[in-house]
Every structure is written in structure tokens, then in C-alpha cells.
Amino acid sequence: MPPRSKARSVLRHWRLYAAISPFYLIFLAFGLIPVGFSLYLSFHRWDGLGSMEFAGLAQYRYLLSDTQFWNALGNTLVIWAMATFPMLFLALLVAVMINSAKRLTSFYRFAFFVPNVTSVVAVAIVFGSVFSTNFGLVNAVLQGLGLDPVAWLQTPWSIKVSIAALMSWQWVGYNAIIFLAGLQTIPGELYEAARVDGASPVQTFFRITVPLMRPVILFTLVVSTITGLQSFSEPQVLLSTTSNTSTFAGGPDNAGQTMVLYFFQQSFDNNDFGYGAAVAWGIFLVVVIFSIVNWRLVARREK
């Protein structure tokens, strides 16, 4: 279409463009411009008050050699793995049980979905009490079984277990609802044929349900990867009272410090907004790489 015709078409339908303009204006003001400014800021040194000082690629070079960032990356990947795989397996089991229920299915959906819509801060405070060393419910159960209590929020691996448990509890119901939608697309005749052939429930689950649910499982894996690599509120609130140096350090020895937690520490605890922006773009690159890997995995399995 010639440029004049395009201009006339826009003028002719200006009411329609005006109707959809609020979304794009809000996205421009609160999405695109901040993203562009963060990229610009990552090439400068700025404390938030004074003038900016151009740094070029110096902050990105420092990021590649920053041992604390690599520690945060390692913590994030370990917590993500410990939370995601058990969470997806439990979500699939919950979805299968809800799908096979004959009564109160709506209640079960609501009950399992409630943790996902509950405030993360409130949930983290509750889990902080549950995993408390002296008065926690988990240690009370361990002592009731004759086992020694564990300092859940004081040692590196127990910190990761606590954060992973919190994230799993929060997202099991959300993924269970997605799995439930996928289960309801599987023909019931397949399960009836399996029962006629003498297949046990375990065999039916692993030979019918899991293979037919593979696209949904891979979708939830991709989404869980993106959200898990950006975990912030869970370790920040859960470990806020056990940090050695600051509110955002991530617990003793930074054992629970995630990438986003490290970004927040650099930007708002150290007031180093330029390096914080560089850390944010490093996080973005990590999330993109993992998303591409998962997308390749999905494409390969579908073929």
C-alpha cells in the first residue's frame, strides 16, 4: 500500500487506533522506555543522585569475573532444579487425582490453587516459622521421630531445601490446573482399553498419561524455568533475619542468594545502579539461553 493510502487509512480509522492506544502508551511508559534506559544505564556508573559516568563495557567485563554473581547463578540453578522437578511431578499426581475424583472437584481445584494467589511475603513468613531451628514444625516432627533437629535457615544446603520447598508448595496447584486441562483432552477409551488388558494404575500412568501429556509437561517446564530463574521474594523474605551483611544478602554465606536478589542488592543496597543494570541484563541473557534450550527440547520431542 502506498504511504498516502496508509495515512488515509489511519485517519479514516482513528477512533479504532485511539481505542487501543492506552495499552501501547502504558507499555511505552512503563515497559519499553525503562528497558531501554536500563540498557543505557548498564554502560554508565551512577549512584542515583550524581551525574552519570560512561563506563563502556567495563561493567560487563567485571560481571564475567564477579565471583559473587556466579555464586548467585549457581544458587539459582540448584534451587530451580530442587524445586521444579519435584513440583511438576507432584502437580501431575494432583491433577490425576482431581481428574479421577467424582465429587467436590471444584473445591479441590480451588484448594490447590489458593497457594498460588496467596501473598508470597505472607507465605514466606509462615515457612520461616515452619523451618525455624528452635520452634519450627519440621524440627518438631523430626524430634518426635527421634531425629536431631536441623538448622534449616543456617546451613547452605538446608537453606536451598527450604527455599525449594516454599517454591514447590506455591506452584504445585498452578501447574496442576494446567495438567488437569491436558488430562481432560485424553480420550477415556484409552484408559478403558488399558484396564481390559490388565494394566495397573502405575502402568497406565507411565505408559498412557505421561506420554500423551508430554507437550503440556514441556510447556510447564519452560514456564517454570522462566519463573524459577527470577526467584526473589521467597529467599528475600525467608532469609531476611539470617543475613550476615544486609537485608538482601541471601542468608549465611550468601547460600540463598539468587541472581535477582544479587541484582537488588547491588542496585538498592549498594546504590550502584549502573552495575545493577548490567546484572539485570546478565540475568536476562541467562533466562533467554535456558528458554531457548527448553524450546529446542520441545521442538525435538514434538518431531
Side-chain angles (χ1 to χ4, degrees):
M1 183 181 297
R4 287 186 178 181
S5 300
K6 290 182 179 180
R8 291 175 182 174
S9 177
V10 171
L11 292 175
R12 188 181 305 114
H13 301 94
W14 69 270
R15 292 182 180 86
L16 300 178
Y17 288 103
I20 63 174
S21 62
F23 167 80
Y24 293 99
L25 293 176
I26 294 174
F27 173 74
L28 179 66
F30 298 100
L32 193 58
I33 291 178
V35 168
F37 180 72
S38 69
L39 181 61
Y40 172 79
L41 186 60
S42 66
F43 296 101
H44 295 76
R45 295 187 179 93
W46 189 45
D47 61 359
L49 296 175
S51 59
M52 294 185 182
E53 178 185 351
F54 182 74
L57 296 174
Q59 299 190 122
Y60 286 100
R61 286 194 293 266
Y62 178 74
L63 180 65
L64 294 176
S65 61
D66 187 356
T67 56
Q68 196 169 357
F69 172 77
W70 290 106
N71 174 70
L73 174 60
N75 291 338
T76 304
L77 295 178
V78 171
I79 293 171
W80 166 79
M82 295 173 67
T84 301
F85 297 110
M87 177 264 295
L88 292 180
F89 181 73
L90 289 175
L92 185 56
L93 289 180
V94 169
V96 171
M97 289 188 292
I98 295 177
N99 190 49
S100 60
K102 302 300 182 181
R103 302 171 59 185
L104 301 176
T105 55
S106 299
F107 170 76
Y108 293 141
R109 295 179 188 181
F110 171 78
F112 281 104
F113 194 75
V114 163
N116 185 252
V117 298
T118 305
S119 171
V120 178
V121 176
V123 172
I125 293 174
V126 172
F127 266 74
S129 300
V130 170
F131 285 102
S132 175
T133 303
N134 297 322
F135 307 103
L137 177 62
V138 177
N139 279 343
V141 173
L142 293 177
Q143 290 177 328
L145 296 175
L147 302 175
D148 295 330
V150 178
W152 292 102
L153 301 179
Q154 299 294 332
T155 58
W157 278 103
S158 60
I159 285 175
K160 295 179 175 61
V161 171
S162 303
I163 299 174
L166 169 58
M167 295 174 63
S168 297
W169 182 84
Q170 183 185 6
W171 290 99
V172 163
Y174 172 84
N175 289 284
I177 297 300
I178 298 177
F179 287 144
L180 181 61
L183 287 172
Q184 291 177 347
T185 64
I186 300 177
E189 293 80 4
L190 296 177
Y191 293 106
E192 294 178 2
R195 284 194 293 268
V196 170
D197 292 338
S200 65
V202 175
Q203 292 175 328
T204 302
F205 177 77
F206 284 103
R207 296 188 180 184
I208 296 179
T209 303
V210 173
L212 293 179
M213 288 286 293
R214 182 175 295 170
V216 182
I217 294 173
L218 294 175
F219 167 77
T220 56
L221 178 61
V222 172
V223 175
S224 299
T225 298
I226 295 174
T227 56
L229 294 178
Q230 301 179 69
S231 58
F232 167 72
S233 299
E234 298 88 352
Q236 190 269 327
V237 179
L238 193 62
L239 304 174
S240 59
T241 60
T242 59
S243 301
N244 290 333
T245 58
S246 69
T247 306
F248 308 106
D253 301 325
N254 295 330
Q257 186 180 64
T258 61
M259 293 188 295
V260 179
L261 201 59
Y262 181 60
F263 150 74
F264 202 95
Q265 179 191 16
Q266 293 299 315
S267 298
F268 300 100
D269 200 21
N270 298 339
N271 293 326
D272 192 350
F273 293 97
Y275 184 61
V279 172
W281 280 96
I283 296 171
F284 171 76
L285 182 61
V286 171
V287 173
V288 168
I289 291 174
F290 271 80
S291 299
I292 291 175
V293 170
N294 283 317
W295 178 80
R296 293 282 187 180
L297 180 63
V298 171
R300 184 179 304 172
R301 291 294 181 86
E302 287 182 349
K303 291 180 179 179

